[in-house]
Amino acid sequence: MPCTLFISDLHLDPQRPEITRLFLDFLEGRGRSAERLYILGDLFEAWVGDDDDSSLADAVCAGLRDCAGSGTPVYVMHGNRDFLLGEDFAAASGCKLLADPTVVDLYGQATLLMHGDLLCTDDTEYLAFRDMVREPAWQQAFLARPLAERRQIAAQLRETSIERTHGKPDSIMDVNPQTVTDTMERHAVQRLIHGHTHRPAVHELRVNGKPARRLVLGDWYEQGSVLECTPAGCRLQSLS
Ligand code: MN
């Protein structure tokens, strides 16, 4: 049966080589047999520019290129960690960059794809930061710095983010239900797939007076998490 795979929040990092291995094996196996593979943000724990010459970046680009080259189109959306993935990365990895949000036809059903951070509208502090770092001028200035300096800044930003996250109640870090409904109604969809919150689940809701579903992908900190969709439906799976 044809199948489409969705993953997100792998947070690939040199500190966790076993997760990189799990992902590379996934690309060689299930990735190749899928019709399409969507990576909905935070593939990398950090991305400081397409000129990154780390061995992690090289290994992941090579794995993606082999998977895409075998005939599985691979789509990559920006997350809040790897929003600097650019056209040079796309060329090196054979992936296509996907805008956030994007609506795709998934076996006959219009489906909205997002990373998920835009749905967390209660976290106004983060959204202000997001606006800043998505500005072309901010990105150009950042990318003009030497690689070593960018790595340092990224590490600092990550620490600040961890500190701020610890002080926030759980509800602020999750999606805002009204934003979810509004966003789905605006895009006229009954199905939404996103990651970011690291709370894998299938939520039933009503959108435009009709039943709808929000499918949340899990992170890859301890294990893998995959959403497999076929013409018969979608199911969330864990990979150990
Ligand atoms: Mn995220």
Side-chain angles (χ1 to χ4, degrees), residues 9 11 41-42 79-81 115 117 195-198:
D9 302 282
H11 294 271
D42 289 350
N80 51 301
R81 304 304 193 103
H115 175 54
D117 52 340
H196 181 65
T197 59
H198 302 190

Coordinates of all heavy atoms in Angstrom, one line a residue, residues 9 11 41-42 79-81 115 117 195-198, ligand 1:
D9 N 11.1 17.1 14.9 CA 11.7 17.2 16.2 C 12.8 16.1 16.5 O 12.8 15.6 17.6 CB 10.7 17.3 17.3 CG 9.7 18.4 17.1 OD1 10.1 19.6 17.4 OD2 8.6 18.2 16.5
H11 N 15.9 16.8 16.5 CA 16.9 17.5 17.2 C 18.3 16.9 17.1 O 19.0 16.7 18.2 CB 16.5 17.7 18.7 CG 15.3 18.5 18.9 ND1 15.3 19.9 19.1 CD2 14.0 18.2 18.9 CE1 14.1 20.4 19.2 NE2 13.2 19.4 19.1
G41 N 10.2 20.1 10.7 CA 10.9 21.1 11.6 C 11.7 20.5 12.7 O 11.4 19.4 13.2
D42 N 12.8 21.2 13.1 CA 13.7 20.7 14.1 C 14.3 19.4 13.8 O 14.5 18.5 14.7 CB 13.0 20.8 15.5 CG 12.8 22.2 16.0 OD1 13.3 23.1 15.3 OD2 12.1 22.4 17.0
G79 N 12.0 24.5 11.6 CA 11.5 24.5 13.0 C 12.1 25.7 13.7 O 12.7 26.6 13.1
N80 N 11.9 25.8 15.0 CA 12.4 27.0 15.7 C 13.9 26.8 16.0 O 14.5 27.8 16.4 CB 11.7 27.2 17.0 CG 11.6 25.9 17.9 OD1 11.0 24.9 17.4 ND2 12.1 25.9 19.1
R81 N 14.5 25.6 15.8 CA 15.9 25.4 16.0 C 16.7 25.6 14.7 O 17.9 26.0 14.7 CB 16.2 24.1 16.5 CG 15.5 23.8 17.8 CD 15.8 24.8 18.9 NE 15.3 24.3 20.2 CZ 16.2 23.8 21.1 NH1 17.5 23.8 20.9 NH2 15.7 23.4 22.2
H115 N 5.0 23.4 11.6 CA 6.0 22.9 12.6 C 5.2 22.9 13.9 O 5.3 21.9 14.7 CB 7.2 23.8 12.7 CG 8.1 23.4 13.9 ND1 8.5 22.1 14.0 CD2 8.5 24.1 15.0 CE1 9.3 22.0 15.1 NE2 9.2 23.2 15.7
D117 N 5.1 25.8 16.2 CA 5.4 26.9 17.1 C 4.4 28.1 16.9 O 4.1 28.8 17.8 CB 6.8 27.3 17.0 CG 7.3 27.6 15.6 OD1 6.7 27.1 14.6 OD2 8.3 28.3 15.4
G195 N 4.4 19.2 14.8 CA 5.2 18.7 15.8 C 5.4 19.8 16.9 O 4.5 20.4 17.3
H196 N 6.7 20.0 17.3 CA 7.1 21.1 18.1 C 6.8 20.9 19.6 O 7.7 21.1 20.5 CB 6.6 22.4 17.7 CG 7.0 23.6 18.5 ND1 8.4 23.9 18.6 CD2 6.4 24.4 19.4 CE1 8.5 25.0 19.5 NE2 7.3 25.2 19.9
T197 N 5.6 20.4 20.0 CA 5.3 20.4 21.4 C 5.8 19.1 22.1 O 5.8 19.1 23.3 CB 3.8 20.4 21.6 OG1 3.2 19.3 21.0 CG2 3.2 21.7 21.1
H198 N 6.3 18.2 21.3 CA 6.8 16.9 21.9 C 5.7 16.2 22.7 O 6.0 15.6 23.8 CB 8.0 17.1 22.7 CG 9.2 17.8 22.0 ND1 10.4 17.9 22.5 CD2 9.2 18.3 20.8 CE1 11.2 18.5 21.7 NE2 10.5 18.8 20.6
Ligands
MN1 MN 10.2 23.1 17.7

